[in-house]
Amino acid sequence: MELLSNLALGFSVALTPWNMLFAFIGAMIGTLIGVLPGIGPIATIAMLLPLTFHLEPTAGLIMLAGIFYGAQYGGSTSAILINLPGETSSVVTTIDGHQMAIQGRAGAALAAAALASFFAGCVSTALIAGFAPPLARLGQSFGSPEYFSLMLLGLIAAVVLAHGSVVKAIAMIVLGLLLGLIGTDGNTGGQRFTFGLNELADGLDVATLAIGLFGISEIMANLAGRDDAARDVVTKRITRLWPTRDDFARGWPAVLRGTSLGAVLGVLPGGGATLSAFAAYALEKRVSDRPGMFGRGAIEGVAGPEAANNAGAQSSFIPMLTLGIPGNPVMALMIGALMIHGIQPGPQIMTERPQMFWGMVASMWIGNLMLVIINLPLIGFWVQLLKVPYRFLYLAILLFCAIGVYTVSNSAAAVIMAAIFGVAGFVFQRLACEPAPLILGFVLGPLMEENLRRALRVSGGDPMIFVDRPISLGLLICAAILLLIVALPAIRSGREQAFQE
C-alpha cells in the first residue's frame, strides 16, 4: 500500500508539464547522442551538468537520467544501420544487427531493439521502485565505518570489472582520489595540492574534470582516428518494422533472460550497460539451439543484449539513489548534479525529498514510452543524420563544452583546466587507460576521507572500529575476496614461471 501511494506521488510530480518537457528533452538528446557515434552519454551529461544549476533539482535529474537510458536506445540505431555503435553498450548489437540490415531486415532489427529496450526499462524501473525503500532503510542503519567500507568495496569492484589492465585501473582510481583531495581541508583549513594557485583553493569541479576527460578528449580521439568515408549507411528503404512471428518466438525469451541478467549486473559497481550487453550475448549464444546463426543475423543476438544494456543502465540507479554510491561514471555525474544543488546523496533522499526521488522513478516509465515513440517513427530522420560528417559536429560540441565549464565557475581558468584535462584524457586513451575509474575515485575520494575521519574520531583513533562492526567487516571481507580474485591470475602465472625456471 505504501508503494502505491509513493508511486502516486511520483506520477503526480512526473506528469507535470515542466517535468514531462524535460523527460522528453532528455530522451531526445539521449537518442541523438546515441545515434551519433563518438559522443556518448558521459560527455553529453558532463556538458549539460552546468545547465542543471539553473533548473529545479527534480527536472534536472529527470533530464540527465533520460539522456543516459535514451543513449542505450539510440546506440542500437547506428550499430544496426552503419555497423558503428553510437554507445559502447551497443558494440554487441553490431554483430547480428548489421547483418540483419544487410539482409534487408533492418526494420525488424530496429523494432526488436526498441521493444526489448522498452520492456527491460519498464521492468528495471519497477525493480527500482520495489527494492529502493528496503535498501534505503538498510542504508540508514549505516554509520561512517560502513560507508567507508562500502565505498572501498565499490572502488575495488570497479577495478575488477574494468576493461584492460588491472594495474592501469588501480592507477586511475588512485589518481582520481588524489585529484579529489585538491583544495582546502575542511577540518584544518589548510590548502592541499593547490601549488599556490588561488583557482584551486576550492578544489576541482566535477563538471570541469568530466567535460575535459570525456568531452574534449573524445573530440580529440575522434579527430585523430575518424574516417567519415568509412561509414556504410544502409540506404535500402525500410518498409517493414514489425518483427515476424518467428522473430517474436525467438526474441522474447532472449529479452527475458537479458532483462534478468542486466538488472543484476547493473547494480554491481563497475557493471552497468556495457558489461550486461556482453554477458547477455554470451548467454544467448550458449543456450541457443542454433549457435551457428550468431554473427549471421540472429534476432536473439539483438534482442538479448539490447534488453540487458537497458536493464543494466536503469538498475545502476539503485545504489546511487539508495546509498549514494555511484556504480559507473554516469552515476558519479548524477551525484555531482545533486551536489550542485547542495543535496547530499544517500538514503536520506527518500525521506527528505520524496517528491524528487519518486518523481524521478515515475519519469523513467514515461521516458521509456517516449523513447519507443521517438525511435521507431523517426528512423528515416536518424538515417539522414548519420550521413552528416563529423567535421561539422565537433566545433559545436567543443563550443558547448567551453560554455558549460564557464557557466559553472564564471572563470576562464576553469576552461583552461578543462582543456588540460582533455589533453590528459586523450593521452590516457592512447595509453589504454580508462578514465572512468578516475571519475569514480574523484567523486568517492572526499566522501571516503570524510567517513574515515569521522569513524576514527568516534573510536578515538582506533582503526579496529572497521572490523568490530559486523556490516563493515562483511563489506571488507567482500573487498578482500575481490582483491584475491584480481591477484590470483598473476600469482598463478608467477608460480608457473618459477617452476619452469
Side-chain angles (χ1 to χ4, degrees):
M1 202 61 193
E2 182 185 359
L3 178 60
L4 293 177
S5 63
N6 287 330
L7 289 176
L9 171 65
F11 278 107
S12 69
V13 173
L15 289 173
T16 60
W18 187 249
N19 287 332
M20 285 188 69
L21 172 64
F22 279 98
F24 177 78
I25 291 172
M28 181 62 82
I29 294 175
T31 302
L32 177 65
I33 59 103
V35 168
L36 292 173
I39 302 176
I42 301 176
T44 306
I45 290 174
M47 284 188 284
L48 294 178
L49 201 58
L51 177 64
T52 61
F53 184 76
H54 305 285
L55 297 176
E56 195 267 332
T58 304
L61 286 175
I62 286 173
M63 182 184 72
L64 296 180
I67 291 171
F68 180 41
Y69 57 77
Q72 314 307 319
Y73 278 75
S76 63
T77 302
S78 57
I80 291 167
L81 294 179
I82 65 173
N83 200 30
L84 190 62
E87 234 297 278
T88 53
S89 58
S90 299
V91 170
V92 181
T93 309
T94 62
I95 301 172
D96 287 283
H98 190 61
Q99 287 299 315
M100 290 180 68
I102 291 172
Q103 296 163 16
R105 304 187 63 226
L110 290 166
L115 294 174
S117 299
F118 174 71
F119 177 81
C122 290
V123 170
S124 297
T125 305
L127 291 176
I128 295 173
F131 285 97
L135 276 175
R137 283 192 288 272
L138 175 65
Q140 286 173 339
S141 66
F142 279 24
S144 296
E146 286 81 8
Y147 267 113
F148 175 82
S149 301
L150 180 63
M151 291 174 190
L152 182 64
L153 173 62
L155 289 180
I156 291 174
V159 170
V160 174
L161 297 173
H163 306 292
S165 168
V166 171
V167 175
K168 289 177 181 177
I170 293 173
M172 296 302 284
I173 284 179
V174 172
L175 180 58
L177 292 171
L178 292 174
L179 290 173
L181 297 178
I182 292 174
T184 304
D185 189 330
N187 290 303
T188 65
Q191 292 191 356
R192 304 182 296 188
F193 304 115
T194 60
F195 304 103
L197 297 174
N198 293 329
E199 291 81 3
L200 296 177
D202 292 329
L204 293 172
D205 189 86
V206 65
T208 302
L209 183 67
I211 288 173
L213 285 177
F214 296 107
I216 297 174
S217 69
E218 195 67 31
I219 293 171
M220 296 173 68
N222 284 322
L223 290 176
R226 178 166 293 275
D227 180 13
D228 284 309
R231 289 190 187 179
D232 180 24
V233 181
V234 173
T235 54
K236 293 179 183 176
R237 184 175 176 81
I238 299 172
T239 55
R240 180 186 173 93
L241 273 178
W242 205 245
T244 64
R245 184 175 297 180
D246 182 62
D247 289 337
F248 272 111
R250 291 190 173 277
W252 275 112
V255 169
L256 294 174
R257 287 189 290 265
T259 301
S260 305
L261 189 61
V264 173
L265 293 178
V267 178
L268 300 176
T274 304
L275 178 66
S276 302
F278 278 94
Y281 189 82
L283 175 64
E284 289 309 312
K285 196 169 182 180
R286 183 175 292 273
V287 302
S288 176
D289 58 353
R290 49 170 199 171
M293 277 296 294
F294 280 77
R296 294 192 291 170
I299 190 76
E300 307 97 299
V302 176
E306 282 300 311
N309 68 32
N310 276 270
Q314 293 190 217
S315 64
S316 64
F317 281 89
I318 293 176
M320 190 278 287
L321 289 172
T322 58
L323 301 173
I325 304 297
N328 55 55
V330 174
M331 294 302 108
L333 294 178
M334 297 289 282
I335 286 180
L338 290 172
M339 290 179 171
I340 283 175
H341 289 278
I343 301 171
Q344 184 66 31
Q348 70 277 2
I349 286 180
M350 196 175 295
T351 53
E352 294 176 3
R353 295 178 177 267
Q355 291 89 350
M356 185 183 77
F357 178 87
W358 290 106
M360 184 176 172
V361 171
S363 75
M364 291 182 181
W365 275 305
I366 297 169
N368 274 282
L369 181 59
M370 287 178 175
L371 282 163
V372 174
I373 298 170
I374 289 170
N375 274 268
L376 293 182
L378 294 180
I379 285 172
F381 172 73
W382 303 129
V383 170
Q384 296 303 315
L385 191 64
L386 285 168
K387 298 178 183 178
V388 177
Y390 188 76
R391 62 181 179 274
F392 296 141
L393 298 174
Y394 82 91
L395 285 174
I397 298 169
L398 193 61
L399 178 63
F400 282 123
C401 287
I403 291 172
V405 172
Y406 190 82
T407 303
V408 172
S409 56
N410 292 323
S411 167
V415 180
I416 295 171
M417 280 192 282
I420 293 170
F421 284 121
V423 175
F426 178 70
V427 172
F428 291 150
Q429 288 191 39
R430 290 296 184 185
L431 296 175
C433 295
E434 281 190 273
L438 187 150
I439 201 76
L440 290 177
F442 177 79
V443 170
L444 289 180
L447 298 174
M448 288 181 70
E449 181 192 19
E450 181 185 344
N451 283 289
L452 175 64
R453 284 180 161 181
R454 193 179 296 159
L456 291 176
R457 277 200 302 269
V458 169
S459 67
D462 184 8
M464 293 303 293
I465 188 173
F466 295 102
V467 295
D468 288 339
R469 299 176 67 139
I471 296 177
S472 176
L473 177 61
L475 293 170
L476 289 176
I477 290 172
C478 290
I481 292 171
L482 286 178
L483 275 177
L484 190 61
I485 291 172
V486 173
L488 273 177
I491 294 171
R492 191 178 295 116
S493 63
R495 284 181 48 145
E496 288 174 359
Q497 215 171 33
F499 281 127
Q500 285 173 0
E501 291 175 0

